[in-house]
C-alpha cells in the first residue's frame, strides 16, 4: 500500500527553528510587508495543492492561489489565533473555488462552448493488455471533478493527500461522520467509473 | 467471496489500508479482481502524484507583491464606492429638501389667494 506524506508531496517542510505561523501572522497583521511575504512563501505550495485538487487544472489553480492571497491580505486583520490557521486559509480557498465555478457555470449557461467531453473509455496500449495508466489517471480526474465540492475535497484530502478523516473534519469544520460519509460516496462514484471502464475492457478481445 | 462482493468492497475501501481478509484472499485467487484492485490503486497513486507534481507558476515574492497591491487597490475601490454612495444619498436628500419638497408642499397645500 502507498504511503504518502499527509498534506501531499507539495507541502513544504517547515524547519522546527522557523518562526511560528502565529508570529508571522501577527507581524503581517501589524502591517509588516516582509512578514506577509514569509506567510505567502510558507503557504503558497499548500494553497496551490488544495486549489489544484479542487479545480483539476494547474493554470486555474494558479489563478485561485493568486486570488486566495489577495483575499487573505485583505482579511488578515480578521484572523484570530484561537482557530486553526490551516482551516481558516482552506475556507478562503474553498470560497474562491466555489465562486470561480459559479462564474464558469454562468458563462456556460450564457452560451459559451460546452466543456470538452473526454473519452470515458480506458484503452489498451500494448498487447500485454496493460491498462494505460495515463488514461486511468485522466478518467479518475474527470470523475473527481464531476463530484460535488464537498465530496471532491474530502476525497482529495483523505485519499490523495493522506490526511485522516479526523484531520479533515477539523480542517473543514465538519463532524467526522460527515467526512466519512462524503468519502464513502466519493470513492464509490470514482471507482464505479473506473470499474465500469474495466468491464468494457475485459470484454475487449485484445 | 464472489467477484461481485469483492468489487463492492473495492468500490469503497481505502487503498491506503489492506482490504478485508476475505477480499484480499479472493483477489489473490482471481486475476480479474486483482487487476481491478491494481488499476484503482495505481490510478489513485498516479492522480495524487500528478496533483502533487507541479509547483505554483508564480514565485512567492511576486505573489505577495501582487496580493498586496491588488488588495489595497480593492480596499481603495471599496472606500470610494461607499463614499460615492454616501455622496449620492446626500445629493438626493438635498435635492429633495431644496427643490422637490417645496413643490410637493405647494401641490398638496396650495397657498390661498387673498379674497380682499
Amino acid at each position: 500500500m502507498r504511503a504518502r506524506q499527509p498534506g501531499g508531496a507539495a507541502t513544504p517542510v517547515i524547519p522546527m527553528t522557523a518562526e511560528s505561523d502565529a508570529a508571522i501572522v501577527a507581524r503581517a497583521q501589524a502591517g509588516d510587508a516582509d512578514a506577509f511575504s514569509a506567510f505567502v512563501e510558507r503557504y503558497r505550495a499548500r494553497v496551490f495543492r488544495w486549489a489544484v485538487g479542487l479545480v483539476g487544472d494547474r493554470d486555474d489553480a494558479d489563478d485561485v492561489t493568486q486570488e486566495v492571497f489577495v483575499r487573505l491580505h485583505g482579511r488578515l486583520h480578521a484572523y484570530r489565533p484561537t482557530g486553526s490557521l490551516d482551516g481558516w486559509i482552506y475556507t478562503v480557498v474553498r470560497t474562491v473555488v466555489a465562486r470561480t465555478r459559479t462564474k464558469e457555470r454562468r458563462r456556460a449557461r450564457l452560451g459559451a462552448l460546452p466543456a470538452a467531453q473526454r473519452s470515458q473509455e480506458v484503452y489498451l496500449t500494448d498487447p500485454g493488455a496493460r491498462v494505460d495508466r495515463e488514461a486511468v489517471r485522466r478518467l479518475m480526474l474527470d470523475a473527481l471533478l464531476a463530484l460535488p465540492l464537498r465530496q471532491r475535497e474530502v476525497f482529495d484530502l483523505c485519499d490523495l493527500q493522506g490526511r485522516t478523516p479526523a484531520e479533515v473534519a477539523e480542517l473543514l469544520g465538519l463532524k467526522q461522520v460527515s467526512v466519512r460519509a462524503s468519502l464513502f460516496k466519493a470513492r464509490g462514484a470514482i471507482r464505479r467509473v473506473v470499474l465500469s471502464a474495466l468491464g468494457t475492457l475485459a470484454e475487449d478481445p485484445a | 467471496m464472489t467477484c461481485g462482493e469483492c468489487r463492492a468492497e473495492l468500490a469503497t475501501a481505502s487503498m491506503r489500508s489492506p482490504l478485508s481478509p476475505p477480499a484480499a484472499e479472493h483477489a489473490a485467487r482471481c486475476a480479474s479482481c486483482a487487476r481491478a484492485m491494481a488499476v484503482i490503486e495505481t490510478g489513485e497513486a498516479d492522480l495524487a502524484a500528478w496533483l502533487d507534481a507541479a509547483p505554483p507558476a508564480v514565485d512567492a515574492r511576486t505573489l505577495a507583491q501582487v496580493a498586496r497591491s491588488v488588495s489595497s487597490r480593492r480596499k481603495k475601490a471599496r472606500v470610494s464606492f461607499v463614499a460615492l454612495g454616501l455622496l449620492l444619498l446626500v445629493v438626493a436628500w438635498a435635492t429633495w429638501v431644496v427643490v422637490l419638497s417645496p413643490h410637493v408642499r405647494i401641490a398638496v397645500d396650495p397657498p390661498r389667494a387673498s379674497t380682499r
Side-chain angles (χ1 to χ4, degrees):
Chain A
M1 294 290 149
R2 305 181 308 275
R4 281 193 293 275
Q5 284 290 316
T11 305
V13 177
I14 301 166
M16 292 300 284
T17 52
E19 189 178 7
S20 75
D21 287 345
I24 287 182
V25 171
R27 285 203 294 125
Q29 282 176 325
D32 184 339
D34 289 341
F36 183 70
S37 298
F39 171 75
V40 172
E41 175 72 54
R42 189 169 289 193
Y43 275 92
R44 182 180 62 127
R46 203 175 305 181
V47 166
F48 179 79
R49 173 61 188 84
W50 286 337
V52 83
L54 292 175
V55 297
D57 179 276
R58 289 180 183 137
D59 292 333
D60 290 347
D62 267 323
D63 294 343
V64 168
T65 306
Q66 173 83 74
E67 180 60 25
V68 165
F69 282 108
V70 169
R71 286 181 184 220
L72 286 175
H73 186 269
R75 293 178 190 178
L76 215 51
H77 63 276
Y79 172 69
R80 297 285 170 269
T82 46
S84 143
L85 184 59
D86 262 12
W88 184 65
I89 296 172
Y90 189 85
T91 309
V92 177
V93 174
R94 197 174 190 281
T95 309
V96 171
V97 168
R99 290 205 175 174
T100 309
R101 283 174 63 87
T102 309
K103 274 186 200 163
E104 276 170 8
R105 272 200 297 268
R106 202 175 297 150
R107 221 173 292 147
R109 269 204 304 270
L110 285 172
L113 289 172
Q117 288 290 316
R118 289 186 186 139
S119 167
Q120 291 292 304
E121 286 176 11
V122 176
Y123 52 88
L124 301 177
T125 53
D126 64 33
R130 242 185 17 220
V131 175
D132 189 326
R133 288 173 64 167
E134 173 62 17
V136 173
R137 203 259 307 147
R138 224 179 302 134
L139 194 65
M140 281 190 158
L141 180 63
D142 286 350
L144 177 68
L145 294 176
L147 293 176
L149 184 57
R150 177 69 74 207
Q151 290 178 28
R152 197 180 336 144
E153 63 192 350
V154 166
F155 181 81
D156 183 30
L157 291 165
C158 289
D159 279 10
L160 302 181
Q161 296 186 38
R163 289 175 185 247
T164 63
E167 287 170 343
V168 173
E170 196 194 331
L171 186 71
L172 302 180
L174 296 173
K175 289 182 180 166
Q176 265 196 58
V177 67
S178 308
V179 170
R180 287 181 195 280
S182 294
L183 185 58
F184 190 83
K185 286 181 197 162
R187 277 180 190 154
I190 292 172
R191 291 179 191 168
R192 259 196 306 277
V193 170
V194 177
L195 289 174
S196 65
L198 275 178
T200 316
L201 196 67
E203 290 158 18
D204 197 314
Chain B
M1 184 177 253
T2 64
C3 284
E5 288 166 340
C6 183
R7 296 286 170 108
E9 182 167 337
L10 273 181
T12 52
S14 167
M15 287 290 123
R16 307 179 70 83
S17 51
L19 289 176
S20 70
E25 199 179 301
H26 173 83
R29 281 185 287 108
C30 172
S32 168
C33 289
R35 183 153 153 268
M37 189 170 86
V39 166
I40 289 172
E41 196 178 358
T42 319
E44 285 185 11
D46 286 350
L47 179 57
W50 183 82
L51 290 171
D52 288 344
V58 188
D59 68 286
R61 183 180 292 222
T62 313
L63 189 60
Q65 230 165 28
V66 172
R68 269 198 305 269
S69 72
V70 173
S71 169
S72 58
R73 222 172 30 230
R74 280 186 194 171
K75 195 174 176 182
K76 277 179 200 158
R78 261 199 309 273
V79 169
S80 310
F81 185 76
V82 170
L84 193 67
L86 287 174
L87 188 69
L88 280 174
L89 278 178
V90 169
V91 168
W93 176 80
T95 310
W96 170 256
V97 169
V98 177
V99 182
L100 298 175
S101 178
H103 288 288
V104 171
R105 222 174 290 144
I106 290 167
V108 171
D109 186 16
R112 296 199 180 114
S114 171
T115 51
R116 265 194 300 179

